[in-house]
Amino acid sequence: MSEEVLAIRDLRIEFPELFRTVEAVRGADLSVRRGEIMGLVGESGCGKSMTAMACLGLVPPPGRVSGHVSVDGFEVVGRPDRELLPVRGGLAAMIFQNPGKALNPFFTIGRQLTDVIRLHHRHGERESREVALEALRSVHLPDPEIALGRYPHQLSGGQLQRAMIAMALACEPKVLIADEPTTALDVTIQAQVIVLLRELADARGLTILFITHDLGVVGSLCDRVSVMYAGRVVEVGSVRDVLESPAHPYTRKLLATVPKLGDGHSELAFIPGQVPDMAFPPSGCAFHPRCERASPVCTKSDPDGRDLGAMHRVACHHAHGGGETEAPGTANGAPAR
Amino acid sequence: MSTLEADVGGLAPAWTGAHRWKRIRHFVGSHPLFVIGLTVFLVIVVAALAAPWIATHDPLAIKFSEKLQAPSAEHYLGTDSMGRDIFSRVLYGARTSLMVGVVVVGLAIGIGLPMGLLAAYFGGRIDTTMMRIADVFLAFPPLLLPIAITAAIGAGLFHAMVALAISWFPWYARIMRSSVLRVKSELYVSAARAMGVNHTNVMIRHAVPNALTPVVVQGSLDFGYVILAAASLSFIGIGAQPPDIEWGLMAAAERAKFLDFPWTVLCPGLAIFVTVLAVNLVGDGIRDLLDPKHQEFK
């Protein structure tokens, strides 16, 4: 259980522009162990997707990547495209937010599946068809034989996401990177996909990095969760620790924004301010302009991560001490749950 | 997991033959001009292919004793000033014109498509280089460039075709470039890259097929213009040369006698007109077919 399949150390991604440099990711650390589902949450623009792209060496130009990303022991950063081709799909595969757009409308599902399979294995036509069928069965797509001959527009969103997962898993990667795979689906389909991912992780020991901004999904699917803010991981821990006793003020506020059923017309909580411009991140802790616990030290030094419990780490000068004793901040006061 | 499977729902069988027929009938009814154009175009293609069997006379046989005859049962469209049968010559002329259309559009796409593809896919310096090359050729007025090129490399049908292709390819480069730029940002391109597909295969499998529609539409519309342009070049004497059988050339040879013997000029002229019109109707129809958004609301 302790084997690290995906390890990200001090990952930095910068996009040089004409007069400034946007730092999309500023020293992110992440470690996912075999068979584990790690949630990665944060607001739009906090660097979640860029981190995911970096795992496959797919940061678009002119992005500059430094630090370390190792997928099953294979160092990705700094490798040329040629050496990364077998990693993509072979060691780590990715599924996307909008399955309807992630498949080529020009070819049938079967053709696209077998193409990917033959990319990574020396299979013949019939053999790769068998593998494709098996992959579709393993994601519980009904009538896989018929589905093979279908074009993407002939399938529904849920069926497409299943086909997409089948394609991602056809070459038996160690890691599945799921970039908001349920966001574009309606809630019942979303639940099915979550059940499927959980099943795949349990049955095959598949490691999943699950990127989302939906904390509800994290609670029902993930083992551990990392919270990202402004290009850094600010809190990481088991789902229970982080969701029940969040230590970072940002995590608390993020949790408070989740609308709850049965609260009537209570005012929706939000986080004041906005995500900082990553070309000019705030000095010290990037969250201090929006944080009610901020003190002068926060504007000067960026806090390092420190351990709270066995597996609970937080990067904050004034972290909530485990959440039991201390009252949450009152200024913008939605109570944490 | 049985409940799960039940929730997903089965896949319905594909269309039946009857359904397909209904769709075709509906299509013919809603696109009459396309169907007319296509029919005329197919007749022209068949006539061109079957010219040796349909022609009543040898199109090259000169017979001064029968020169400048009016249309009759013997010569359906009359004869020209050298006594050649115009009906047979118009038939053989269709071969030339269709060949010109296919070769010029094919060459122009053959040069322009890879340029636009590489320019859009890789961007940066490659983009700039490719597009500036294309711009050089776009800087000349459309018919002036082929005239200048044929003047330089010598008159002749083949040279005229090359010259036309050279002046036409930048349009395909530009169209392909803008189309690939759109496709490049599609999620399935990123998804393919994430599956370990290399650049070459992403371009061939994903970029080209999905970017091809506007090129096909432009190609089918240009087919008519190219035939017209080639006939124009032949008319002013720098395209097809005798003994080539070409409509523009036929009209040019008899133009002095137009008022007295109008059929000698009218017949090849009408052939050009009908062919170009038919091809343009087909081109418009293909555009409507491939780009449903362009259709008017029915």
Side-chain angles (χ1 to χ4, degrees):
Chain A
M1 188 60 196
S2 60
E3 191 189 348
E4 253 187 354
V5 181
L6 179 65
I8 298 174
R9 299 265 177 280
D10 197 28
L11 178 70
R12 287 168 193 279
I13 305 176
E14 297 174 339
F15 290 90
E17 288 177 7
L18 202 50
F19 296 113
R20 55 187 213 167
T21 298
V22 175
E23 302 172 67
V25 178
R26 309 177 304 141
D29 294 295
L30 201 66
S31 146
V32 194
R33 288 163 300 196
R34 188 174 302 284
E36 184 178 59
I37 302 183
M38 167 69 97
L40 185 58
V41 297
E43 284 165 289
S44 310
C46 70
K48 297 175 299 201
S49 292
M50 267 310 140
T51 306
M53 293 312 256
C55 295
L56 294 172
L58 277 175
V59 172
R64 282 198 303 249
V65 184
S66 62
H68 301 281
V69 176
S70 94
V71 179
D72 200 29
F74 186 95
E75 177 62 45
V76 171
V77 175
R79 297 267 183 166
D81 207 49
R82 187 169 34 83
E83 290 175 35
L84 287 170
L85 291 178
V87 176
R88 301 177 189 148
L91 272 183
M94 195 157 175
I95 57 175
F96 295 89
Q97 182 169 6
N98 194 335
K101 289 189 172 160
L103 288 159
N104 188 338
F106 209 81
F107 298 114
T108 60
I109 305 291
R111 169 83 189 274
Q112 299 189 49
L113 264 168
T114 49
D115 274 357
V116 167
I117 291 161
R118 296 176 77 168
L119 209 60
H120 294 279
H121 301 285
R122 293 189 170 278
H123 283 324
E125 194 126 345
R126 184 176 297 176
E127 217 177 344
S128 48
R129 200 186 129 87
E130 278 308 309
V131 177
L133 269 177
E134 193 42 54
L136 288 180
R137 280 195 202 103
S138 72
V139 297
H140 310 298
L141 192 73
D143 307 330
E145 287 89 354
I146 299 178
L148 280 184
R150 286 295 162 89
Y151 287 90
H153 71 269
Q154 295 171 312
L155 299 182
S156 71
Q159 291 168 335
L160 281 172
Q161 193 57 287
R162 280 171 198 271
M164 208 52 228
I165 295 171
M167 188 183 294
L169 300 182
C171 297
E172 302 188 347
K174 298 278 196 325
V175 184
L176 179 68
I177 297 161
D179 192 356
E180 309 209 14
T182 57
T183 310
L185 305 174
D186 66 48
V187 272
T188 51
I189 307 295
Q190 187 174 327
Q192 292 175 13
V193 170
I194 287 166
V195 169
L196 173 66
L197 288 176
R198 185 75 252 176
E199 179 198 330
L200 290 168
D202 293 343
R204 314 187 172 196
L206 182 69
T207 308
I208 301 177
L209 180 63
F210 191 93
I211 298 166
T212 183
H213 55 247
D214 187 340
L215 286 160
V217 173
V218 168
S220 57
L221 173 69
C222 299
D223 300 306
R224 288 200 303 149
V225 58
S226 296
V227 182
M228 245 182 132
Y229 185 78
R232 293 198 64 183
V233 174
V234 294
E235 182 164 5
V236 57
S238 69
V239 164
R240 212 189 135 136
D241 283 347
V242 174
L243 296 193
E244 286 179 12
S245 50
H248 198 285
Y250 175 64
T251 314
R252 293 212 151 198
K253 296 213 158 170
L254 207 56
L255 280 166
T257 60
V258 177
K260 288 166 210 66
L261 284 177
D263 270 15
H265 291 282
S266 66
E267 233 171 273
L268 281 177
F270 62 96
I271 307 180
Q274 48 188 288
V275 182
D277 178 0
M278 294 312 291
F280 306 103
S283 62
C285 172
F287 189 59
H288 83 256
R290 302 169 77 182
C291 181
E292 72 236 10
R293 294 194 156 214
S295 65
V297 65
C298 298
T299 63
K300 292 191 186 78
S301 83
D302 201 2
D304 292 323
R306 60 189 169 90
D307 289 316
L308 287 179
M311 280 155 47
H312 194 176
R313 274 177 81 77
V314 64
C316 179
H317 292 299
H318 309 291
H320 296 264
E324 322 88 338
T325 52
E326 230 168 323
T330 48
N332 294 298
R337 43 170 200 199
Chain B
M1 281 297 132
S2 60
T3 51
L4 199 72
E5 282 174 55
D7 286 351
V8 181
L11 297 170
W15 299 344
T16 57
H19 188 97
R20 195 162 286 181
W21 263 114
K22 215 171 158 186
R23 279 176 61 101
I24 290 172
R25 278 222 312 276
H26 176 76
F27 179 77
V28 172
S30 55
H31 300 77
L33 287 177
F34 172 65
V35 175
I36 292 169
L38 187 64
T39 313
V40 173
F41 181 66
L42 289 178
V43 168
I44 293 168
V45 170
V46 170
L49 291 177
W53 295 278
I54 302 174
T56 49
H57 296 74
D58 178 354
L60 293 172
I62 296 171
K63 217 173 177 183
F64 285 108
S65 58
E66 293 179 7
K67 73 170 186 175
L68 294 172
Q69 288 188 356
S72 65
E74 168 66 15
H75 298 287
Y76 299 143
L77 300 178
T79 60
D80 66 8
S81 54
M82 289 202 249
R84 293 174 295 196
D85 181 55
I86 292 179
F87 174 68
S88 306
R89 288 177 67 76
V90 166
L91 275 181
Y92 276 90
R95 294 185 147 194
T96 313
S97 288
L98 292 181
M99 194 251 312
V100 167
V102 170
V103 171
V104 172
V105 172
L107 266 179
I109 292 181
I111 303 168
L113 189 138
M115 279 182 70
L117 175 63
L118 293 174
Y121 191 85
F122 290 110
R125 206 166 291 170
I126 296 176
D127 186 16
T128 313
T129 313
M130 296 281 180
M131 285 302 115
R132 291 306 83 78
I133 293 173
D135 286 349
V136 168
F137 291 95
L138 279 180
F140 296 92
L143 211 52
L144 193 62
L145 185 62
I147 291 173
I149 294 173
T150 33
I153 61 178
L157 188 57
F158 178 70
H159 287 171
M161 291 197 293
V162 171
L164 283 172
I166 288 175
S167 68
W168 240 280
F169 86 87
W171 295 107
Y172 292 97
R174 296 194 81 91
I175 291 168
M176 190 63 184
R177 177 175 175 271
S178 63
S179 190
V180 170
L181 278 181
R182 175 182 55 80
V183 172
K184 201 175 89 167
S185 62
E186 293 281 351
L187 192 56
Y188 52 80
V189 170
S190 321
R193 293 285 295 148
M195 289 293 174
V197 181
N198 61 28
H199 286 301
T200 316
N201 275 327
V202 170
M203 280 195 280
I204 295 171
R205 291 276 175 79
H206 299 273
V208 172
N210 289 295
L212 214 51
T213 307
V215 175
V216 170
V217 171
Q218 188 63 34
S220 59
L221 289 171
D222 277 353
F223 197 84
Y225 295 123
V226 163
I227 291 175
L228 206 57
S232 311
L233 290 183
S234 298
F235 187 85
I236 59 174
I238 55 174
Q241 301 293 321
D244 291 342
I245 304 169
E246 211 276 345
W247 293 335
L249 186 62
M250 287 166 70
E254 307 295 334
R255 64 184 185 277
K257 306 177 191 70
F258 176 52
L259 288 180
D260 297 323
F261 309 100
W263 61 87
T264 53
V265 176
L266 273 184
C267 292
L270 277 175
I272 296 172
F273 167 72
V274 171
T275 309
V276 172
L277 181 65
V279 167
N280 280 347
L281 290 179
V282 172
D284 281 346
I286 289 178
R287 185 193 54 207
D288 288 349
L289 257 183
L290 295 182
D291 182 11
K293 277 182 225 122
H294 201 282
Q295 269 178 54
E296 47 199 296
F297 190 73
K298 295 237 159 68

